[in-house]
């Protein structure tokens, strides 16, 4: 129990340190790699909080595909950020963040303690899901049972979202100019 | 005592991470950095949900033969699984927009983009005046 607490506290503080470094880097490649590391440490954190399915999704999708997408985008973009000095806008942003953060931390005392069995989250639905996935669906992994069966429509909606995003990316990056120039060249040839 | 400190420590760090993400989104001028800030914010929200689902002394929600076993709450795990994949879709869309903006403006810095817009606006305005 005590080792679990120490590991948890260490990992979560490590994430904080990485996030602070991300704020300060100016080389874009460092930012991207640090973001990948951040996702990976988050995946470790999920393992220690018993969410193994979330952990391997985060490690493969959050740390893997996301980083690849960033690196692919970086090949078209400037490699270094413009130097910024600390100005009035930053003070404004910082004060807003401190205010909201302070309020959230103040409110955190009203949240239920982590890991307590009698928390309201654990009182409803869950026992039904665990029993149902054993008796009705026959899959030992409860997360899969809920994802594919009880909340199948959610997963279907998620697929639609990904399809829409993929379509939008394709439309944005589709090279129209080359086709137009092809057309104009063809027109000129036909005129001749 | 230690349990009580740990009980809120996770929340505190999660909220701090959220605010770091928000700060990056508000104050950084580079559009790419803003997307990274959004990702940080997102991951911290995931962590908050998974923290809610944790039961001390429980195991991962995979059913074993031991009937006395306590399982952590699987419902937040499912919600976050969906959210992670949708998060990557939004990141991809944001990056595509940034690449497109870089093609049109030659920069991904907010100030430079609005400067280009301002110059364009003034040129149009002066053309109208000359007519």
């Amino acid at each position: 129990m005590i080792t679990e607490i120490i590991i948890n506290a260490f990992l979560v503080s490590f994430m904080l340190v990485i996030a602070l470094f991300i704020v300060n880097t100016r080389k874009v490649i460092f930012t991207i790699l640090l973001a990948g590391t951040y996702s990976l440490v988050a995946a470790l954190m999920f393992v220690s909080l018993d969410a193994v399915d979330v952990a391997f999704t985060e490690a493969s999708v959050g740390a893997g595909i996301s980083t690849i997408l960033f690196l692919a985008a970086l090949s078209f973009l400037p490699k270094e950020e413009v130097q910024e000095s600390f100005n009035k806008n930053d003070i404004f942003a910082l004060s807003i963040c401190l205010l909201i953060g302070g309020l959230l931390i103040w409110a955190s005392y009203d949240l239920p303690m982590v890991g307590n069995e009698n928390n309201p989250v654990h009182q409803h639905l869950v026992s039904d899901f665990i029993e149902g996935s054993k008796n009705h669906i026959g899959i030992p992994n409860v997360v899969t049972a809920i994802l594919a069966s009880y909340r199948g429509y959610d997963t279907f909606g998620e697929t639609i979202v990904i399809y829409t995003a993929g379509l939008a990316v394709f439309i944005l990056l589709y090279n129209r100019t080359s086709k137009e120039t092809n057309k104009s060249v063809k027109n000129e040839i036909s005129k001749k | 005592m230690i349990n009580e400190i740990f009980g809120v420590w996770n929340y505190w760090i999660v909220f701090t991470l959220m605010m770091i993400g928000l700060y990056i989104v508000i104050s950084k001028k580079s559009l790419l950095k803003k997307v990274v800030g959004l990702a940080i914010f997102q991951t911290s929200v995931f962590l908050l949900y998974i923290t809610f689902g944790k039961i001390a002394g429980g195991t991962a929600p995979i059913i074993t033969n031991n009937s006395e076993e306590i399982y952590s709450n699987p419902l937040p795990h499912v919600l976050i699984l969906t959210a992670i994949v949708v998060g990557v879709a939004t990141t991809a869309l944001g990056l595509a927009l940034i690449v497109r903006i870089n093609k049109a403006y030659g920069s991904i810095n907010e100030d430079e983009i609005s400067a280009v817009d301002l110059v364009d606006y003034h040129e149009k305005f002066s053309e109208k005046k000359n007519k």
Side-chain angles (χ1 to χ4, degrees):
Chain A
M1 190 64 213
I2 195 89
T3 47
E4 206 172 287
I5 289 172
I6 292 170
I7 290 171
N8 251 318
F10 171 73
L11 285 177
V12 96
S13 314
F14 194 45
M15 284 175 76
L16 186 67
V17 173
I18 293 173
L20 285 174
F21 272 106
I22 290 177
V23 177
N24 281 324
T25 46
R26 269 184 51 230
K27 280 226 163 62
V28 180
I29 186 89
F30 290 166
T31 313
I32 293 169
L33 292 179
L34 279 173
T37 322
Y38 177 85
S39 282
L40 214 57
V41 178
L44 283 176
M45 189 72 205
F46 292 147
V47 172
S48 85
L49 289 173
D50 291 345
V52 279
D53 300 78
V54 182
F56 70 68
T57 313
E58 177 73 32
S60 61
V61 177
I65 296 178
S66 219
T67 310
I68 292 171
L69 283 174
F70 271 111
L71 288 176
L74 180 64
S75 62
F76 300 103
L77 299 175
K79 308 290 181 272
E80 201 161 327
E81 286 169 26
V82 182
Q83 180 113 43
E84 296 169 28
S85 56
F86 198 79
N87 57 24
K88 224 201 277 176
N89 280 335
D90 290 347
I91 295 171
F92 176 66
L94 199 64
S95 53
I96 280 186
C97 289
L98 283 177
L99 181 70
I100 299 174
L103 282 174
L104 282 173
I105 286 174
W106 183 38
S108 77
Y109 284 106
D110 284 343
L111 285 172
M113 285 285 172
V114 178
N116 194 339
E117 224 176 309
N118 300 319
N119 287 350
V121 204
H122 307 307
Q123 301 308 315
H124 313 281
L125 279 173
V126 182
S127 52
D128 290 349
F129 281 149
I130 289 174
E131 284 302 306
S133 95
K134 198 161 48 181
N135 301 330
H136 301 147
I137 305 173
I139 303 173
N141 190 340
V142 187
V143 175
T144 314
I146 298 175
L147 188 77
S149 178
Y150 291 109
R151 294 202 157 262
Y153 283 114
D154 273 14
T155 313
F156 177 61
E158 173 198 336
T159 321
I160 293 175
V161 169
I162 296 164
Y163 173 71
T164 317
L167 210 63
V169 170
F170 181 72
I171 291 168
L172 278 170
L173 297 182
Y174 183 65
N175 203 350
R176 274 187 230 95
T177 48
S178 63
K179 220 174 186 183
E180 275 160 22
T181 47
N182 277 348
K183 262 186 195 167
S184 60
V185 169
K186 268 185 194 167
N187 283 344
E188 277 174 23
I189 293 170
S190 60
K191 271 177 198 167
K192 280 172 190 172
Chain B
M1 174 66 192
I2 287 176
N3 258 335
E4 270 170 29
I5 293 175
F6 172 63
V8 281
W9 177 252
N10 246 13
Y11 293 139
W12 286 5
I13 301 278
V14 163
F15 292 144
T16 318
L17 285 173
M18 271 185 205
M19 287 311 118
I20 290 174
L22 187 65
Y23 175 77
I24 292 177
V25 173
I26 297 175
S27 80
K28 294 291 169 182
K29 301 290 182 204
S30 161
L31 294 178
L32 197 91
K33 195 82 167 244
K34 277 176 196 275
V35 175
V36 173
L38 267 183
I40 291 177
F41 198 118
Q42 243 170 18
T43 314
S44 73
V45 174
F46 299 163
L47 206 57
L48 184 67
Y49 266 69
I50 301 296
T51 308
F52 284 144
K54 168 80 177 165
I55 295 180
T59 61
I62 297 171
I63 292 171
T64 55
N65 292 324
N66 182 4
S67 59
E68 300 282 291
E69 198 81 77
I70 303 168
Y71 304 109
S72 288
N73 195 336
L75 198 55
H77 301 184
V78 177
L79 299 178
I80 296 312
L81 270 183
T82 311
I84 288 176
V85 179
V86 171
V88 169
T90 35
T91 307
L93 188 57
L95 288 174
L97 275 171
I98 291 173
V99 169
R100 195 70 189 78
I101 286 170
N102 186 47
K103 222 175 173 183
Y105 288 86
S107 164
I108 56 166
N109 187 295
E110 245 184 10
D111 290 341
E112 289 173 8
I113 290 169
S114 40
V116 172
D117 270 348
L118 209 63
V119 170
D120 283 356
Y121 175 75
H122 279 296
E123 275 174 3
K124 265 187 192 167
F125 192 67
S126 55
E127 271 173 24
K128 271 185 191 168
K129 229 181 185 180
N130 290 339
K131 278 173 191 171

PDB file of all heavy atoms in Angstrom, chain B residues 118-131:
ATOM      1  N   LEU B 118      -3.354  42.301 -41.294  1.00  0.00           N
ATOM      2  CA  LEU B 118      -3.485  43.757 -41.198  1.00  0.00           C
ATOM      3  C   LEU B 118      -2.995  44.418 -42.477  1.00  0.00           C
ATOM      4  O   LEU B 118      -3.644  45.310 -43.038  1.00  0.00           O
ATOM      5  CB  LEU B 118      -2.672  44.244 -39.988  1.00  0.00           C
ATOM      6  CG  LEU B 118      -3.177  45.501 -39.310  1.00  0.00           C
ATOM      7  CD1 LEU B 118      -4.559  45.246 -38.737  1.00  0.00           C
ATOM      8  CD2 LEU B 118      -2.209  45.922 -38.222  1.00  0.00           C
ATOM      9  N   VAL B 119      -1.836  43.943 -42.988  1.00  0.00           N
ATOM     10  CA  VAL B 119      -1.271  44.504 -44.218  1.00  0.00           C
ATOM     11  C   VAL B 119      -2.238  44.289 -45.381  1.00  0.00           C
ATOM     12  O   VAL B 119      -2.527  45.214 -46.148  1.00  0.00           O
ATOM     13  CB  VAL B 119       0.096  43.838 -44.513  1.00  0.00           C
ATOM     14  CG1 VAL B 119       0.566  44.220 -45.910  1.00  0.00           C
ATOM     15  CG2 VAL B 119       1.127  44.234 -43.482  1.00  0.00           C
ATOM     16  N   ASP B 120      -2.788  43.067 -45.472  1.00  0.00           N
ATOM     17  CA  ASP B 120      -3.751  42.765 -46.539  1.00  0.00           C
ATOM     18  C   ASP B 120      -4.943  43.711 -46.476  1.00  0.00           C
ATOM     19  O   ASP B 120      -5.381  44.263 -47.484  1.00  0.00           O
ATOM     20  CB  ASP B 120      -4.268  41.323 -46.389  1.00  0.00           C
ATOM     21  CG  ASP B 120      -3.253  40.328 -46.874  1.00  0.00           C
ATOM     22  OD1 ASP B 120      -2.208  40.780 -47.378  1.00  0.00           O
ATOM     23  OD2 ASP B 120      -3.500  39.108 -46.736  1.00  0.00           O
ATOM     24  N   TYR B 121      -5.442  43.915 -45.251  1.00  0.00           N
ATOM     25  CA  TYR B 121      -6.611  44.768 -45.052  1.00  0.00           C
ATOM     26  C   TYR B 121      -6.332  46.182 -45.514  1.00  0.00           C
ATOM     27  O   TYR B 121      -7.127  46.788 -46.239  1.00  0.00           O
ATOM     28  CB  TYR B 121      -7.002  44.746 -43.568  1.00  0.00           C
ATOM     29  CG  TYR B 121      -8.118  45.661 -43.207  1.00  0.00           C
ATOM     30  CD1 TYR B 121      -9.435  45.347 -43.540  1.00  0.00           C
ATOM     31  CD2 TYR B 121      -7.869  46.867 -42.550  1.00  0.00           C
ATOM     32  CE1 TYR B 121     -10.467  46.192 -43.221  1.00  0.00           C
ATOM     33  CE2 TYR B 121      -8.895  47.725 -42.229  1.00  0.00           C
ATOM     34  CZ  TYR B 121     -10.188  47.383 -42.566  1.00  0.00           C
ATOM     35  OH  TYR B 121     -11.206  48.222 -42.247  1.00  0.00           O
ATOM     36  N   HIS B 122      -5.162  46.709 -45.131  1.00  0.00           N
ATOM     37  CA  HIS B 122      -4.829  48.089 -45.502  1.00  0.00           C
ATOM     38  C   HIS B 122      -4.668  48.230 -47.008  1.00  0.00           C
ATOM     39  O   HIS B 122      -5.083  49.221 -47.596  1.00  0.00           O
ATOM     40  CB  HIS B 122      -3.560  48.536 -44.773  1.00  0.00           C
ATOM     41  CG  HIS B 122      -3.845  48.967 -43.366  1.00  0.00           C
ATOM     42  ND1 HIS B 122      -4.627  50.045 -43.085  1.00  0.00           N
ATOM     43  CD2 HIS B 122      -3.484  48.440 -42.172  1.00  0.00           C
ATOM     44  CE1 HIS B 122      -4.740  50.183 -41.767  1.00  0.00           C
ATOM     45  NE2 HIS B 122      -4.046  49.211 -41.194  1.00  0.00           N
ATOM     46  N   GLU B 123      -4.081  47.211 -47.639  1.00  0.00           N
ATOM     47  CA  GLU B 123      -3.921  47.265 -49.096  1.00  0.00           C
ATOM     48  C   GLU B 123      -5.271  47.323 -49.785  1.00  0.00           C
ATOM     49  O   GLU B 123      -5.504  48.130 -50.684  1.00  0.00           O
ATOM     50  CB  GLU B 123      -3.144  46.038 -49.576  1.00  0.00           C
ATOM     51  CG  GLU B 123      -1.640  46.233 -49.473  1.00  0.00           C
ATOM     52  CD  GLU B 123      -0.891  44.967 -49.804  1.00  0.00           C
ATOM     53  OE1 GLU B 123      -1.547  43.964 -50.163  1.00  0.00           O
ATOM     54  OE2 GLU B 123       0.345  44.990 -49.694  1.00  0.00           O
ATOM     55  N   LYS B 124      -6.214  46.487 -49.339  1.00  0.00           N
ATOM     56  CA  LYS B 124      -7.556  46.488 -49.926  1.00  0.00           C
ATOM     57  C   LYS B 124      -8.214  47.839 -49.739  1.00  0.00           C
ATOM     58  O   LYS B 124      -8.811  48.398 -50.643  1.00  0.00           O
ATOM     59  CB  LYS B 124      -8.411  45.395 -49.251  1.00  0.00           C
ATOM     60  CG  LYS B 124      -8.424  44.096 -49.990  1.00  0.00           C
ATOM     61  CD  LYS B 124      -9.431  43.160 -49.345  1.00  0.00           C
ATOM     62  CE  LYS B 124      -9.251  41.756 -49.898  1.00  0.00           C
ATOM     63  NZ  LYS B 124      -9.992  40.777 -49.096  1.00  0.00           N
ATOM     64  N   PHE B 125      -8.071  48.357 -48.516  1.00  0.00           N
ATOM     65  CA  PHE B 125      -8.703  49.636 -48.171  1.00  0.00           C
ATOM     66  C   PHE B 125      -8.177  50.756 -49.059  1.00  0.00           C
ATOM     67  O   PHE B 125      -8.937  51.553 -49.600  1.00  0.00           O
ATOM     68  CB  PHE B 125      -8.428  49.929 -46.694  1.00  0.00           C
ATOM     69  CG  PHE B 125      -9.245  51.036 -46.137  1.00  0.00           C
ATOM     70  CD1 PHE B 125     -10.627  50.881 -46.008  1.00  0.00           C
ATOM     71  CD2 PHE B 125      -8.666  52.225 -45.740  1.00  0.00           C
ATOM     72  CE1 PHE B 125     -11.400  51.897 -45.491  1.00  0.00           C
ATOM     73  CE2 PHE B 125      -9.439  53.246 -45.222  1.00  0.00           C
ATOM     74  CZ  PHE B 125     -10.802  53.082 -45.104  1.00  0.00           C
ATOM     75  N   SER B 126      -6.864  50.794 -49.246  1.00  0.00           N
ATOM     76  CA  SER B 126      -6.275  51.873 -50.043  1.00  0.00           C
ATOM     77  C   SER B 126      -6.671  51.727 -51.512  1.00  0.00           C
ATOM     78  O   SER B 126      -6.886  52.716 -52.211  1.00  0.00           O
ATOM     79  CB  SER B 126      -4.759  51.892 -49.881  1.00  0.00           C
ATOM     80  OG  SER B 126      -4.244  50.628 -50.196  1.00  0.00           O
ATOM     81  N   GLU B 127      -6.802  50.481 -51.993  1.00  0.00           N
ATOM     82  CA  GLU B 127      -7.255  50.270 -53.379  1.00  0.00           C
ATOM     83  C   GLU B 127      -8.640  50.864 -53.590  1.00  0.00           C
ATOM     84  O   GLU B 127      -8.892  51.558 -54.571  1.00  0.00           O
ATOM     85  CB  GLU B 127      -7.309  48.767 -53.688  1.00  0.00           C
ATOM     86  CG  GLU B 127      -6.017  48.225 -54.228  1.00  0.00           C
ATOM     87  CD  GLU B 127      -6.070  46.716 -54.347  1.00  0.00           C
ATOM     88  OE1 GLU B 127      -7.189  46.172 -54.457  1.00  0.00           O
ATOM     89  OE2 GLU B 127      -4.996  46.099 -54.309  1.00  0.00           O
ATOM     90  N   LYS B 128      -9.537  50.610 -52.629  1.00  0.00           N
ATOM     91  CA  LYS B 128     -10.898  51.141 -52.721  1.00  0.00           C
ATOM     92  C   LYS B 128     -10.882  52.668 -52.751  1.00  0.00           C
ATOM     93  O   LYS B 128     -11.602  53.301 -53.511  1.00  0.00           O
ATOM     94  CB  LYS B 128     -11.717  50.653 -51.527  1.00  0.00           C
ATOM     95  CG  LYS B 128     -12.413  49.336 -51.788  1.00  0.00           C
ATOM     96  CD  LYS B 128     -13.296  48.990 -50.609  1.00  0.00           C
ATOM     97  CE  LYS B 128     -13.794  47.558 -50.739  1.00  0.00           C
ATOM     98  NZ  LYS B 128     -14.418  47.115 -49.488  1.00  0.00           N
ATOM     99  N   LYS B 129     -10.031  53.255 -51.923  1.00  0.00           N
ATOM    100  CA  LYS B 129      -9.938  54.709 -51.825  1.00  0.00           C
ATOM    101  C   LYS B 129      -9.483  55.301 -53.151  1.00  0.00           C
ATOM    102  O   LYS B 129      -9.999  56.305 -53.638  1.00  0.00           O
ATOM    103  CB  LYS B 129      -8.938  55.061 -50.722  1.00  0.00           C
ATOM    104  CG  LYS B 129      -9.465  56.090 -49.738  1.00  0.00           C
ATOM    105  CD  LYS B 129      -8.417  56.397 -48.706  1.00  0.00           C
ATOM    106  CE  LYS B 129      -8.964  57.320 -47.636  1.00  0.00           C
ATOM    107  NZ  LYS B 129      -7.953  57.607 -46.633  1.00  0.00           N
ATOM    108  N   ASN B 130      -8.487  54.644 -53.783  1.00  0.00           N
ATOM    109  CA  ASN B 130      -7.947  55.146 -55.044  1.00  0.00           C
ATOM    110  C   ASN B 130      -8.995  55.123 -56.150  1.00  0.00           C
ATOM    111  O   ASN B 130      -9.000  55.999 -57.010  1.00  0.00           O
ATOM    112  CB  ASN B 130      -6.732  54.317 -55.458  1.00  0.00           C
ATOM    113  CG  ASN B 130      -5.559  54.582 -54.540  1.00  0.00           C
ATOM    114  OD1 ASN B 130      -5.527  55.624 -53.879  1.00  0.00           O
ATOM    115  ND2 ASN B 130      -4.625  53.654 -54.476  1.00  0.00           N
ATOM    116  N   LYS B 131      -9.861  54.092 -56.091  1.00  0.00           N
ATOM    117  CA  LYS B 131     -10.916  54.019 -57.098  1.00  0.00           C
ATOM    118  C   LYS B 131     -11.907  55.161 -56.919  1.00  0.00           C
ATOM    119  O   LYS B 131     -12.469  55.650 -57.837  1.00  0.00           O
ATOM    120  CB  LYS B 131     -11.658  52.668 -56.975  1.00  0.00           C
ATOM    121  CG  LYS B 131     -10.931  51.546 -57.675  1.00  0.00           C
ATOM    122  CD  LYS B 131     -11.631  50.228 -57.365  1.00  0.00           C
ATOM    123  CE  LYS B 131     -10.764  49.063 -57.845  1.00  0.00           C
ATOM    124  NZ  LYS B 131     -11.309  47.786 -57.379  1.00  0.00           N
TER     125      LYS B 131
END
